[in-house]
Amino acid sequence: MISFRSVGKTYPGGTHAVAGIDLDIPTGKLTVFVGPSGCGKTTCLRMINRMVEPSTGTVAIDGVDVHDTHAAQLRRGIGYVIQNVGLFPHRTVLDNIATVPVLNGVGRRRARARAAELLERVGLSPEVAHRYPAQLSGGQQQRVGVARALAADPPILLMDEPFSAVDPVVRAQLQDEMVRLQAELGKTVVFVTHDIDEALHLGDLIVVFAPGGRIAQVAEPATLLAAPADDFVADFVGHDRGYRALSFADAGPLPMAQAPTVDFESAVAAARSDGQVGDYDDVLGAGRGLPRWALLVDDRGHPQGWLDRAGLVAGRPLSRDDIRLGGTLIRPGGSLRSALDASLSSPSGAGVAVDADGRLIGTVSAQAVLAAIERSRTAAASPEAEGPVVGFADSTTVRALDEAR
Amino acid sequence: MKRTRIHITTVAMAALAGVGLLLAGCGSNANPLNSSAGSSSSGSSGAQSSGSQSSGAGSGGASSTAGGSETSSGTGSTGAGQTSAGSTGTGQQPVVIGSANFTESELIADIYAAALKAAGVPVTTHLNIGAREVYLQAMHEGSINLLPEYTGGLLAYYDKTSTAHSPTDVYAALQKALPADLEVLKYSAAQDQDSVTVTKATADKYHLVSIGDLAPVAGQMTLGGSSEWQTRADGPIGMTKLYGVTFKDYKVLDPGGPLSVKGLQTGLVQATDIFTTNPAIEEDGFVVLKDPKNMFQAQNVVPLIAKSAATPKVTSVLDAVSAKLTTADLTDMQKTINDTKANVADVAGKWVSQNGLG
Amino acid sequence: MIGDIWAWLTTSAHWTGADGIWQRTLEHVEYTLIAVAVAAVIALPIGALIGHTGRGTGLVAGTANALRALPSLGLLVMLALWALGHLPVGIALQTASIAVLALLAIPPMLTSTYAGVAAVDPAARDAAEGMGMSGGQVLLRVELPIAVPLLFSGLRSAYLQAVATATIAAFVSLGGLGRYVIDGLAQHDYPKMAGGALLVAVLAVVGDRILAVVGHFAASAGLTSRRRLWAKTAPYRSSYPAASLSETQPEVVNAARQ
């Protein structure tokens, strides 16, 4: 447990960065410090490894004041990941990761062997081991940064806005990795972010910082959304917190419809058919009483996008406008929020559900999701009925075909 | 590859430029290490520097291109002014006095100016012109018509082959060698010569009086002097030939400058070439070794004048100056200038009035 | 003229003996290297410390500029006269000359060391400290290795400055290639003078190239252009979830048109 007792930080000139904070950070959990910039969350984080010394009060790890441990010694026992990664450009990936073990006197060969293991753990391929940081993408660099922090197997991991410098797609990946990694490692993680969504996604416990360096609320994510302590928290969490709260509600069983599907080659062939449409009626069904939207699937059963029959004319080449890929997928184990999002973002109005291997299971309408939401509100206490549980853990963005252009 | 080649060129140019700057610096007036002489190739040193403030007449090649700045001195007050001084308005052509770019030359030019002015001759000064090549060119072109010169140095400029050594021989040879439009007036007893000089301690230890006395001991000694003196006939070569004196080693120092003086004091060299009007000789009690075989050419101070400007009045005034001027006077005045940072023209004016010429 | 210089350079008698080109070159290199080494001993720690602490940067700029503006020849004479009076005669002039050269070599090394260390990504420095490196370890293991390319560029500037200026040692009776330049000038032996200057230029180029190559290999491959070769053999490709779709789709569309 990391405990803050009456911790304050005043900079020369009288700025109060942190004002009298009391806080207990549980061992083995991922605690997120969240808040607008300039309200002391990074300062508090850096007090844990003495990168910042408090002006008043004490910070203790398992009851030992950090001030009683030599700064360098203390830091080698605490993993540290920062926003701009701070990899050493002159060292290979492997040597970057091996930094702390080498500082601790572990032989270089052993440290490198351990580093190679960590590489895999953070989802990097072994071939990057001997590259230099400048040869890596932003996401890869940050993975190396995490591996470097974990190299000496510290019980505590400090992460200061680690994912805010990478693009949203990679950020989502890294966040998922973080969830997975934390499930495996069970470290005491302190994670700073200004992104409330990231906080809600990752945190076991969320500490909301308010301007003036005070703590506005300490709560689990669901509680934070359901019962903000004050106007500041409510405002910071955002206006659509009701919708966000669905993230923490299990999707449960959803009524599944079977969408008309068309395989890819048929669609291409139909478009080429030059008026001889007999063989392709099931594709070119628009105006013949078939629904406008058909789901394109490849030969492995993976959904590829929605085919708009309204635009399909025999003899006219298949155009990008005929295939819409927008929309998220409903994956197994997901939340109500993701299910609702999938149906709302689908061009056909029906969310596409896939199994763990990405194969099509069926489609879910927004109405069906809303009904499920209603049920979860009224019967929060009752046990869930069995049945195919469809949902998704994370919103994998399927980029629209238009974007690819 | 192309980039590399460009880079190499750049570096080479930079290095050459650096060397070039050094050469230019060598010819500049501000440089106390400035070498003297530099008349033409073989001649003896004529334009000599003395004292730490003085500077050489620039050295040959570099200064003939770089040293032509025609700064006028004569900072205004007494003595040599920029303007013509004679109020009588005799209709006489004004005398334009030039000088080389070192203190002693400037000083003598100011003395000429002060004396002429006192006698009512209109005078203009155009001092500190540069090396011999440069100011003699100005003389031929007529932009100046009077200069203080040294007999040996000037002779060497016009006649490289002359072997004259004594004051009278050198003067006679010089009169023959001069171009038709120029003449030298009577020479002064004042001389500023190269010399072989040793410390008092060295002289006492080895009983040294003349250069020849060095013969038995020179083999353990290092000789100092300028680059040009090293190869000149009146340098180490002449000493070997005339006196049988050969030194162990030769160190290139500033000609008669502060480094030579310091080098002699500290034993870096045991004998060195110092100009005879250098105040350090007296101050440090150095011993100038006698030159009975006249290895060094006579270097008497002499007015070089355009025939057109040599009126009887001008001639008589300058002859009077030459008659009064002594080597000791030159040494003393330069010491005054060095020590008190006095204005050269003021010192010259004072000498003129003290000697009843003003 | 060029023919004269060539003739001077190719006369074998000019290459040997105490006044020979080999000897003079050796002396020239000796003055230069000692001066650069002395300058490095002074400039590296000071530059590194200032870059590391961020304190005294104004001092660096001021001092470096003042040193650059030094009239080297005047300074040399002043120092030579002082040294002759205060140091053993045998080493006085060498000391004075090397001191002047070192003073000239200090500014480029000081500023580049300072700049190299100061330019290290603050995040790398923060990470190094946060992982438990002491101030000295941060400097030696992170900041200086990263600054190596700039250190070498400073070293090269210093070398060039020193090698070109080492000619002035000849003004105070020492050797080196300046001997040819100064004696050639005084004795009106222009091929000798130009030949000497040419040799200085050659020495400058050769030394600079050697330092460039050494510097290239002294710096980590992560900092130099060598990483480009690496990148070619092991290219990184970003992979978005839909990357395969977006890449294949246009082909399908084209195929559909045919």
Side-chain angles (χ1 to χ4, degrees):
Chain A
M1 177 143 79
I2 304 168
S3 41
F4 286 67
R5 292 290 171 265
S6 317
V7 171
K9 178 71 189 177
T10 311
Y11 284 108
T15 321
H16 290 282
V18 176
I21 277 179
D22 287 289
L23 176 68
D24 287 323
I25 296 167
T27 302
K29 300 281 185 190
L30 199 157
T31 302
V32 180
F33 289 1
V34 70
S37 39
C39 58
K41 50 193 194 301
T42 293
T43 306
C44 282
L45 178 95
R46 287 161 67 91
M47 282 175 183
I48 298 170
N49 67 353
R50 290 187 62 191
M51 293 292 278
V52 172
E53 300 284 356
S55 310
T56 56
T58 56
V59 178
I61 298 173
D62 297 329
V64 181
D65 187 343
V66 292
H67 205 76
D68 296 341
T69 312
H70 187 267
Q73 207 55 47
L74 175 79
R75 288 169 192 166
R76 288 179 201 177
I78 300 176
Y80 188 52
V81 186
I82 54 177
Q83 177 183 353
N84 293 319
V85 201
L87 294 183
F88 305 139
H90 62 296
R91 291 190 181 170
T92 61
V93 165
L94 224 48
D95 285 337
N96 261 286
I97 298 173
T99 302
V100 179
V102 168
L103 280 177
N104 284 336
V106 175
R108 198 167 286 275
R109 181 174 297 190
R110 263 187 61 202
R112 280 184 179 153
R114 162 100 178 118
E117 287 169 31
L118 276 163
L119 212 53
E120 240 171 292
R121 175 146 253 177
V122 298
L124 285 170
S125 80
E127 53 189 70
V128 304
H130 298 289
R131 287 191 208 162
Y132 287 93
Q135 297 166 250
L136 305 181
S137 70
Q140 285 177 315
Q141 288 189 9
Q142 198 51 274
R143 285 169 200 261
V144 175
V146 173
R148 185 173 64 173
L150 292 172
D153 201 17
I156 298 172
L157 198 56
L158 305 182
M159 307 181 83
D160 188 1
E161 305 212 17
F163 306 146
S164 59
V166 292
D167 69 73
V169 176
V170 176
R171 187 187 310 152
Q173 287 176 353
L174 290 171
Q175 287 168 351
D176 294 340
E177 295 272 6
M178 191 63 218
V179 170
R180 177 182 62 77
L181 210 57
Q182 172 62 359
E184 285 174 27
L185 300 172
K187 303 276 184 197
T188 304
V189 182
V190 184
F191 191 107
V192 166
T193 181
H194 58 260
D195 176 358
I196 184 67
D197 289 316
E198 186 169 68
L200 292 169
H201 182 28
L202 297 180
D204 296 317
L205 188 70
I206 295 179
V207 182
V208 182
F209 280 72
R214 61 180 186 87
I215 291 175
Q217 186 170 8
V218 181
E220 290 177 6
T223 316
L224 193 70
L225 288 165
D230 56 21
D231 286 350
F232 171 76
V233 178
D235 197 39
F236 186 72
V237 170
H239 293 298
D240 53 352
R241 63 191 161 87
Y243 171 65
R244 288 167 189 228
L246 294 177
S247 302
F248 301 94
D250 202 350
L254 291 169
M256 201 69 57
Q258 285 306 314
T261 59
V262 169
D263 78 315
F264 212 90
E265 280 164 25
S266 307
V268 173
R272 280 192 198 152
S273 63
D274 202 16
Q276 307 299 313
V277 296
D279 292 342
Y280 302 107
D281 273 355
D282 55 338
V283 178
L284 304 169
R288 294 182 172 91
L290 288 173
R292 177 179 168 188
W293 296 97
L295 199 56
L296 269 177
V297 288
D298 65 12
D299 50 3
R300 288 173 301 166
H302 293 192
Q304 297 290 301
W306 292 94
L307 184 67
D308 186 359
R309 285 173 168 143
L312 222 52
V313 176
R316 186 178 63 76
L318 202 62
S319 87
R320 286 186 171 84
D321 291 339
D322 299 326
I323 302 170
R324 298 281 175 78
L325 281 126
T328 51
L329 296 173
I330 305 172
R331 290 177 187 277
S335 67
L336 280 173
R337 180 183 172 179
S338 61
L340 185 60
D341 187 65
S343 33
L344 291 177
S345 64
S346 165
S348 70
V352 179
V354 294
D355 65 11
D357 295 328
R359 277 193 299 269
L360 178 69
I361 304 173
T363 61
V364 183
S365 70
Q367 256 172 336
V369 180
L370 286 172
I373 292 170
E374 204 55 43
R375 250 180 290 130
S376 79
R377 284 169 73 97
T378 53
S382 68
E384 301 287 347
E386 71 275 15
V389 174
V390 180
F392 74 111
D394 47 81
S395 54
T396 303
T397 308
V398 177
R399 303 201 314 173
L401 183 59
D402 287 346
E403 272 180 48
R405 193 165 23 159
Chain B
M1 192 58 215
K2 191 171 183 189
R3 230 195 78 233
T4 308
R5 220 178 294 131
I6 290 168
H7 178 77
I8 288 174
T9 319
T10 315
V11 168
M13 294 295 280
L16 281 172
V19 172
L21 276 176
L22 281 173
L23 297 183
C26 173
S28 92
N29 192 19
N31 161 22
L33 266 184
N34 208 341
S35 89
S36 79
S39 58
S40 48
S41 54
S42 71
S44 74
S45 147
Q48 293 143 341
S49 84
S50 49
S52 62
Q53 260 202 336
S54 79
S55 54
S59 4
S63 43
S64 63
T65 52
S69 64
E70 306 202 349
T71 351
S72 46
S73 89
T75 39
S77 55
T78 63
Q82 271 289 79
T83 51
S84 58
S87 55
T88 48
T90 53
Q92 184 188 0
Q93 177 196 0
V95 176
V96 185
I97 308 177
S99 84
N101 57 352
F102 58 95
T103 310
E104 191 174 85
S105 177
E106 211 180 301
L107 173 69
I108 302 167
D110 275 334
I111 288 173
Y112 292 167
L116 289 170
K117 193 178 136 192
V121 179
V123 170
T124 304
T125 54
H126 203 123
L127 306 185
N128 219 347
I129 294 173
R132 182 167 278 126
E133 290 88 340
V134 184
Y135 61 69
L136 286 182
Q137 185 65 32
M139 193 88 182
H140 287 299
E141 284 167 3
S143 58
I144 54 172
N145 50 25
L146 174 62
L147 266 171
E149 259 294 3
Y150 300 89
T151 51
L154 191 59
L155 173 61
Y157 182 81
Y158 287 113
D159 180 7
K160 295 179 177 62
T161 58
S162 173
T163 53
H165 283 286
S166 72
T168 44
D169 289 352
V170 170
Y171 184 70
L174 177 59
Q175 280 177 314
K176 274 181 217 147
L178 279 178
D181 56 336
L182 301 178
E183 63 176 310
V184 281
L185 305 180
K186 283 181 184 157
Y187 66 86
S188 164
Q191 282 212 58
D192 188 358
Q193 263 186 308
D194 291 276
S195 74
V196 176
T197 297
V198 296
T199 59
K200 181 92 175 27
T202 308
D204 288 351
K205 187 174 170 193
Y206 300 114
H207 312 291
L208 305 176
V209 177
S210 88
I211 297 173
D213 298 338
L214 283 165
V217 289
Q220 308 144 37
M221 290 181 170
T222 299
L223 177 66
S226 64
S227 291
E228 56 270 33
W229 194 57
Q230 188 179 8
T231 54
R232 253 169 30 199
D234 62 351
I237 300 165
M239 285 162 81
T240 306
K241 213 155 71 184
L242 285 174
Y243 293 104
V245 172
T246 305
F247 285 87
K248 179 183 73 181
D249 199 6
Y250 187 90
K251 274 205 181 301
V252 178
L253 297 169
D254 52 344
L259 204 59
S260 295
V261 172
K262 199 81 183 178
L264 195 58
Q265 284 171 347
T266 57
L268 178 72
V269 291
Q270 283 73 46
T272 192
D273 176 14
I274 290 183
F275 302 125
T276 50
T277 61
N278 193 327
I281 293 174
E282 197 192 314
E283 283 164 26
D284 291 284
F286 292 155
V287 176
V288 176
L289 298 180
K290 288 192 165 48
D291 178 22
K293 296 183 178 174
N294 284 322
M295 179 179 80
F296 294 116
Q297 269 184 321
Q299 297 287 0
N300 297 79
V301 173
V302 70
L304 174 69
I305 191 164
K307 278 180 177 159
S308 59
T311 61
K313 190 172 186 183
V314 169
T315 305
S316 72
V317 170
L318 293 176
D319 284 350
V321 169
S322 294
K324 292 271 185 185
L325 192 65
T326 66
T327 304
D329 287 346
L330 288 178
T331 308
D332 290 347
M333 281 188 280
Q334 286 184 81
K335 185 163 154 53
T336 306
I337 292 165
N338 287 352
D339 292 352
T340 65
K341 310 292 171 212
N343 184 314
V344 176
D346 290 349
V347 174
K350 203 169 152 203
W351 182 88
V352 168
S353 56
Q354 275 171 352
N355 286 275
L357 297 164
Chain C
M1 185 68 191
I2 291 169
D4 292 342
I5 299 169
W6 183 249
W8 183 81
L9 281 173
T10 50
T11 304
S12 62
H14 289 156
W15 286 81
T16 51
D19 190 35
I21 291 172
W22 289 125
Q23 176 64 21
R24 292 296 181 218
T25 305
L26 209 65
E27 289 163 352
H28 203 94
V29 170
E30 182 190 323
Y31 303 149
T32 303
L33 292 189
I34 294 177
V36 170
V38 169
V41 166
I42 294 166
L44 280 179
I46 296 177
L49 213 64
I50 289 171
H52 179 69
T53 60
R55 265 178 244 149
T57 54
L59 196 75
V60 168
T63 313
N65 285 334
L67 286 178
R68 279 197 179 114
L70 273 183
S72 45
L73 210 50
L75 185 74
L76 174 61
V77 173
M78 218 182 71
L79 275 180
L81 290 175
W82 179 88
L84 276 175
H86 294 84
L87 299 177
V89 168
I91 59 159
L93 296 176
Q94 282 90 334
T95 308
S97 303
I98 285 165
V100 170
L101 295 182
L103 279 177
L104 289 172
I106 284 173
M109 269 198 276
L110 187 64
T111 46
S112 67
T113 307
Y114 152 71
V117 171
V120 169
D121 180 7
R125 199 177 286 137
D126 187 53
E129 262 177 68
M131 285 188 298
M133 287 194 191
S134 64
Q137 285 172 326
V138 172
L139 184 63
L140 291 177
R141 299 191 186 194
V142 179
E143 290 173 330
L144 281 178
I146 293 174
V148 162
L150 260 175
L151 293 189
F152 265 87
S153 94
L155 187 63
R156 286 165 64 186
S157 304
Y159 169 80
L160 287 178
Q161 183 80 49
V163 86
T165 315
T167 43
I168 64 169
F171 272 98
V172 291
S173 87
L174 297 178
L177 293 169
R179 197 69 280 147
Y180 299 129
V181 177
I182 285 162
D183 291 352
L185 178 64
Q187 296 158 4
H188 304 268
D189 186 348
Y190 298 118
K192 182 175 178 177
M193 182 187 88
L198 201 66
L199 288 170
V200 173
V202 169
L203 210 53
V205 172
V206 169
D208 184 63
R209 292 322 300 166
I210 291 173
L211 285 176
V213 170
V214 171
H216 187 75
F217 285 98
S220 154
L223 303 169
T224 65
S225 55
R226 265 184 289 166
R227 71 165 175 249
R228 283 185 212 128
L229 298 175
W230 275 89
K232 262 181 204 159
T233 58
Y236 164 76
R237 280 180 50 196
S238 72
S239 56
Y240 291 105
S244 58
L245 244 185
S246 63
E247 278 173 16
T248 56
Q249 201 59 45
E251 287 170 29
V252 171
V253 173
N254 287 339
R257 282 203 182 106
Q258 289 161 6

